[in-house]
């Protein structure tokens, strides 16, 4: 699953959307969740289910079910707000009037023999990476931090959900199988989403380097044009569009949508577990 998502993220397309999937059955959903578990935990869950009475029932917890939805919706709103603030901040930092003096101060801009200006060097991979590190590295890590902030709050809420859920359940053993499932898959879930989140800056760097390297044949009309046009692929063919800002928006869109995908996953998980079910 993570590999497929990472391949999609490598494009850093701002219009990327996850493909819709049909609503699975309860059994399919439970099977999907158990895929996050270690094998010994899956075996434990199966033993608990098969070793209980002929009928396994799990009462629903409607109050907590509703609260989960409210918490996730609040986190979605906060996600939209955080990334809107992120884009506003980095748009200001990457505007031509802010970026151009930085490029000039760090001697990235040189006269072109045929007129106009060019980037210094030939644009090999090392030079392209240095340009990224000096202009966009902090931005991509900041995008990852916005995601991490929501993930940290969600993890704290999960602890609360689990505690409240156990408090509502009868103490008999056959009611403890689903909590065992949730408790044993949680660490793997957190680890998987964290690994994906930490990979975002590296994927952003690789996308930028591949797109802008080998600039030795490029010539720009003036320094302002250079500051806008170096990341050409993220300008969408608009003469006045700033490619650095376009790249920032692409990274922001990927990070925000993956934060949303994370929230969707946890909402589905908790609502599945809290709605109640029975095994005849």
């Amino acid at each position: 699953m993570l590999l497929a998502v990472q391949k999609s993220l490598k494009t850093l397309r701002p219009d990327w959307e996850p493909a819709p999937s049909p609503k699975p059955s309860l059994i399919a959903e439970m099977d999907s969740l158990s895929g996050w578990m270690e094998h010994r935990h899956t075996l434990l869950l199966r033993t608990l289910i098969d070793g209980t009475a002929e009928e396994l029932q799990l009462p629903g917890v409607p109050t907590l079910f509703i609260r989960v939805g409210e918490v996730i919706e609040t986190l979605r709103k906060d996600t939209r707000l955080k990334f809107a603030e992120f884009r506003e901040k980095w748009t200001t930092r990457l505007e031509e009037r802010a970026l151009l003096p930085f490029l000039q101060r760090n001697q990235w801009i040189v006269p072109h023999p045929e007129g106009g200006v060019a980037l210094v060097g030939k644009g090999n991979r090392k030079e392209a990476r240095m340009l990224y590190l000096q202009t966009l590295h902090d931005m991509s890590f900041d995008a990852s931090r916005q995601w991490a902030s929501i993930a940290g709050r969600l993890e704290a809420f999960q602890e609360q959900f689990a505690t409240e859920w156990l408090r509502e359940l009868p103490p008999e053993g056959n009611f403890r199988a689903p909590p065992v499932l949730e408790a044993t898959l949680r660490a793997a879930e957190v680890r998987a989403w964290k690994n994906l989140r930490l990979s975002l800056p590296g994927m952003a760097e690789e996308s930028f380097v591949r797109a802008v390297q080998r600039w030795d044949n490029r010539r720009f009309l003036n320094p302002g044009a250079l500051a806008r046009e170096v990341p050409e692929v993220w300008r969408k063919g608009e003469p006045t569009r700033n490619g650095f800002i376009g790249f920032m928006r692409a990274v922001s869109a990927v990070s925000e949508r993956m934060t949303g995908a994370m929230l969707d996953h946890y909402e589905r998980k908790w609502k599945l577990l809290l709605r109640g079910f029975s095994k005849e």
Side-chain angles (χ1 to χ4, degrees), residues 46-266:
R46 173 60 60 186
T47 302
L48 281 170
I49 292 176
D50 291 344
T52 56
E54 291 184 0
E55 181 179 323
L56 173 63
Q57 294 184 339
L58 181 69
V61 188
T63 303
L64 185 55
F65 183 97
I66 293 171
R67 181 165 175 260
V68 166
E70 293 173 344
V71 166
I72 296 295
E73 186 56 33
T74 297
L75 291 176
R76 286 195 182 101
K77 291 178 181 177
D78 290 348
T79 296
R80 291 192 290 270
L81 177 61
K82 288 181 74 67
F83 279 98
E85 293 173 344
F86 167 87
R87 286 186 289 272
E88 181 179 1
K89 175 178 69 176
W90 281 100
T91 294
T92 300
R93 294 184 182 185
L94 294 171
E95 285 179 341
E96 180 184 328
R97 61 184 178 181
L99 186 60
L100 181 55
F102 175 83
L103 294 173
Q104 292 172 325
R105 187 167 58 251
N106 286 274
Q107 301 179 332
W108 278 104
I109 303 175
V110 296
H112 193 280
E114 299 178 10
V117 296
L119 279 171
V120 69
K122 294 185 177 296
N124 58 38
R125 184 175 179 83
K126 182 178 179 181
E127 291 169 332
R129 183 171 183 270
M130 183 58 65
L131 178 62
Y132 174 86
L133 292 176
Q134 291 187 7
T135 57
L136 295 165
H137 173 268
D138 291 347
M139 177 277 299
S140 64
F141 273 90
D142 194 12
S144 182
R145 281 193 293 270
Q146 308 310 310
W147 182 355
S149 173
I150 298 296
R153 291 171 59 192
L154 178 60
E155 190 171 348
F157 278 123
Q158 283 209 99
E159 294 287 347
Q160 296 176 22
F161 296 158
T163 300
E164 292 180 35
W165 186 29
L166 283 171
R167 191 163 54 236
E168 293 289 334
L169 290 176
E172 289 80 7
N174 63 338
F175 291 105
R176 299 290 161 166
V180 168
L181 167 64
E182 192 284 321
T184 54
L185 65 81
R186 197 187 311 163
E189 287 177 311
V190 171
R191 185 167 57 251
W193 286 108
K194 181 179 180 180
N195 289 341
L196 183 57
R197 184 175 71 246
L198 293 177
S199 71
L200 177 63
M203 289 187 285
E205 177 182 324
E206 182 64 21
S207 295
F208 182 86
V209 169
R210 288 188 178 189
V212 306
Q213 65 183 351
R214 295 184 294 277
W215 59 60
D216 51 323
N217 292 322
R218 296 189 67 185
R219 178 161 60 106
F220 304 91
L221 182 62
N222 52 52
L226 182 149
R228 294 190 303 272
E229 297 172 12
V230 169
E232 180 68 28
V233 68
W234 290 284
R235 296 181 69 224
K236 292 189 173 181
E238 299 177 20
T240 60
R241 187 179 177 92
N242 183 320
F244 285 94
I245 292 176
F247 180 81
M248 176 273 294
R249 289 184 174 277
V251 173
S252 172
V254 169
S255 187
E256 182 174 358
R257 286 167 179 168
M258 290 310 300
T259 304
M262 176 188 70
L263 294 174
D264 290 345
H265 165 77
Y266 283 110

